[in-house]
Amino acid sequence: MTGSTFRFAPSPNGELHLGHALSALLNSDLAKAHGGRLLLRIEDIDLTRCTPEYEAGIHEDLRWLGIGWEEPVRRQSEHFEDYAQALARLIEEELVYPAFMSRGEIRAFIAGQDKAGRDWPRDPDGAPLYPGLDKSLGTAERQRRIGDGQPFAWRLDVAAALARLDLSPGRPLEWREYDDDDLGRFRTVAADPSAWGDVILARREIPTSYHLSVVVDDALQGVTHVVRGRDLYHATAIQRLLQELLRLPAPAYRHHRLILDAEGRKLSKSLGHTGLAALRADGKTPGDIRRLVGL
């Protein structure tokens, strides 16, 4: 794997915890073991929740763990134009559409389906799929609504996207998944992006989303191996679809185990799980952190 490139890509919307430590240490260890590069990417497209203070904390925590990375650090908020160009290609190819339904309208529609005895499909995370009623709107009506300033999101037309792919029977949509943290064994996984429905790729005010920005960044940075938590395993299907549509290279993946709390929940910033800074202040050492995450 000489010449391989790994990346650790946190969002500065809270303090890093043990789950982040596991991912960062795995990426660092693998880069060293295989003579590769380690990149740090700051995924801060959520401008309302991400702060410079949390970003500075990420740098401090990683240095304390003994992790080094290549400079410069890519900060997503400085590269919206890259994502806008990718979105423009998808708009031009009519693979996305402006979706105007509000969260309340979506809930009301699905409640009506449930009341009628029709189980509405849900994505792998348990969220109901977008109804997609906007796809029937004509061009003039779409332009009128956009011109009137109605809020909307650009959603991927998954059915149209899959129909557009030039995939032969011998070349299905799939990805390479490593089964161990040493990257010694791998298998191919069939990608099923339709399980997610028409996902959001951008909003009117922000020209990107997690899915769109991550595939563009991985391609531009030459990332060859994506090592991240198991909670993103199924999301890889949408990202593989976008890579094909945008003609981007596909990295190999390793979705590692999650660090769980006493109640079996994955560690989360939103749940207030103890951050690395607090563990450091409590006297823990980088070696203690490695033991706590099972490395």
Side-chain angles (χ1 to χ4, degrees):
M1 294 184 191
T2 302
S4 56
T5 300
F6 299 82
R7 48 78 159 175
F8 177 58
S11 295
N13 55 11
E15 295 181 349
L16 297 188
H17 50 59
L18 288 174
H20 298 109
L22 172 60
S23 193
L25 288 167
L26 277 176
N27 276 282
S28 178
D29 290 352
L30 286 167
K32 292 176 182 177
H34 297 288
R37 307 161 60 210
L38 177 64
L39 307 179
L40 174 62
R41 179 194 305 157
I42 299 298
E43 299 195 339
D44 59 346
I45 60 174
D46 186 348
L47 300 177
T48 62
R49 297 176 59 209
C50 296
T51 70
E53 292 76 20
Y54 284 134
E55 183 176 339
I58 289 171
H59 286 236
E60 185 177 357
D61 288 340
L62 295 179
R63 290 194 182 98
W64 174 66
L65 289 172
I67 295 174
W69 56 87
E70 287 191 10
E71 297 286 352
V73 172
R74 182 175 175 90
R75 186 178 293 108
Q76 287 184 333
S77 60
E78 298 174 349
H79 297 277
F80 282 143
E81 182 57 32
D82 291 335
Y83 316 132
Q85 290 178 10
L87 178 65
R89 287 178 57 184
L90 298 173
I91 294 174
E92 182 179 358
E93 295 183 21
E94 298 183 343
L95 295 174
V96 295
Y97 61 93
F100 299 95
M101 293 181 72
S102 67
R103 290 187 179 92
E105 290 170 335
I106 295 171
R107 286 195 297 268
F109 175 85
I110 294 171
Q113 298 296 304
D114 292 341
K115 188 175 181 180
R118 293 186 287 269
D119 291 332
W120 193 253
R122 294 179 176 269
D123 68 26
D125 286 341
L129 302 191
Y130 186 70
L133 304 181
D134 316 81
K135 285 192 283 190
S136 63
L137 295 176
T139 301
E141 177 62 15
R142 289 177 177 177
Q143 292 177 344
R144 183 192 68 78
R145 293 190 182 195
I146 293 174
D148 289 345
Q150 290 190 28
F152 70 91
W154 289 106
R155 286 185 177 267
L156 178 65
D157 188 337
V158 173
L162 288 171
R164 189 73 56 86
L165 290 188
D166 181 20
L167 295 175
S168 63
R171 186 176 170 269
L173 186 64
E174 59 189 15
W175 76 85
R176 173 179 289 194
E177 177 74 24
Y178 282 94
D179 287 324
D180 64 311
D181 290 339
D182 295 326
L183 306 188
R185 304 183 309 275
F186 71 86
R187 56 192 165 89
T188 55
V189 179
D192 181 19
S194 61
W196 292 92
D198 293 348
V199 297
I200 291 176
L201 292 189
R203 297 186 184 277
R204 178 170 181 160
E205 63 278 11
I206 300 179
T208 192
S209 64
Y210 168 72
H211 290 303
L212 183 60
S213 59
V214 75
V215 299
V216 170
D217 285 343
D218 284 342
L220 289 176
Q221 294 189 285
V223 172
T224 59
H225 294 76
V226 173
V227 179
R228 60 189 182 185
R230 183 75 183 181
D231 53 325
L232 291 170
Y233 177 86
H234 293 289
T236 310
I238 285 292
Q239 291 161 26
R240 281 293 297 117
L241 176 58
L242 289 172
Q243 287 159 355
E244 291 292 326
L245 296 174
L246 295 169
R247 301 166 187 84
L248 302 176
Y253 293 86
R254 164 60 180 163
H255 292 91
H256 60 72
R257 58 190 167 84
L258 301 176
I259 304 295
L260 306 178
D261 65 12
E263 298 179 14
R265 303 173 299 182
K266 77 172 182 115
L267 299 189
S268 168
K269 298 169 186 174
S270 61
L271 294 176
H273 287 113
T274 303
L276 296 182
L279 294 172
R280 182 165 65 250
D282 195 41
K284 295 290 189 295
T285 67
D288 293 329
I289 301 300
R290 279 188 170 272
R291 286 187 287 274
L292 285 170
V293 300
L295 293 178

